[in-house]
Amino acid sequence: MENYEQFLRRIDEFEQPVFTLPGEYFSINPSLKYKVDIFNKFRPFYGDTVIFELSDDIKAQAGGMIDALYREAGDCFSERLKNETLHITLHDLSNSNNVSDIGEDMFRNEIILLKYAQSGKIAKSTIHFETNYFINMVGVTMVLALKPKTREDYEKLISLYGIADCVRALPYPLTPHITLAYFKYEGFSADKAEQLCRIVNRLNKTKLDIEVSTDDLYYEKFTDMNNYYKIFPLT
């Protein structure tokens, strides 16, 4: 896994203070079709994950950012995410449009993580983040990127990540973030992209401090991108 310096170098390459999009029609990542239908509503999409629950205050502040995005550039996005579903993903696990394809995997994931939770081996800790910048996450979502405030915060975060990665390893590194919106199924015009850049660059001036702890860490399952269900806490 990355050390702190490697992590900072990587995210600084694409998390930039000025948000830009190509001056042309914005084409979405084809993988968006698994989560959003042609009417820009969330499709059934099943899976499990490990997340940090956010405080009501942070959810409200992030929700205010979502409101601003939809008010000024709503034609760029699909169905709005509910404030209550906002979270920080620690580690993705299994997912599919067909729940029967991943039933055995999810059962295995749940059993392994439950053993971790019941072992008492996950030390209680608190992690402090600061918001970094809004980014286009691989042509699927608009997210608010987060940065651990100190080396110690990063090391605590990556230690927890390592537990979940032992359950199901991922082929990509951790990029902490809060997902705010899913892009529109068919993409959007250069004019709409310009509107989006304007509002994002205003929102980028707002910074939040976010504190989470191992008490906020949950194994959850979802049935689409707007409906998550707590299964059990990891501590």
Side-chain angles (χ1 to χ4, degrees), residues 115-130:
K115 289 179 179 178
Y116 270 113
Q118 293 176 337
S119 72
K121 293 180 181 178
I122 300 177
K124 299 275 189 178
S125 63
T126 300
I127 299 172
H128 297 88
F129 293 97
E130 56 189 359

Side-chain angles (χ1 to χ4, degrees), residues 57-77:
D57 178 61
I58 293 299
K59 286 181 180 180
Q61 292 187 68
M65 294 176 176
I66 296 173
D67 289 341
L69 289 172
Y70 276 76
R71 185 170 55 249
E72 301 197 35
D75 288 340
C76 298
F77 302 114

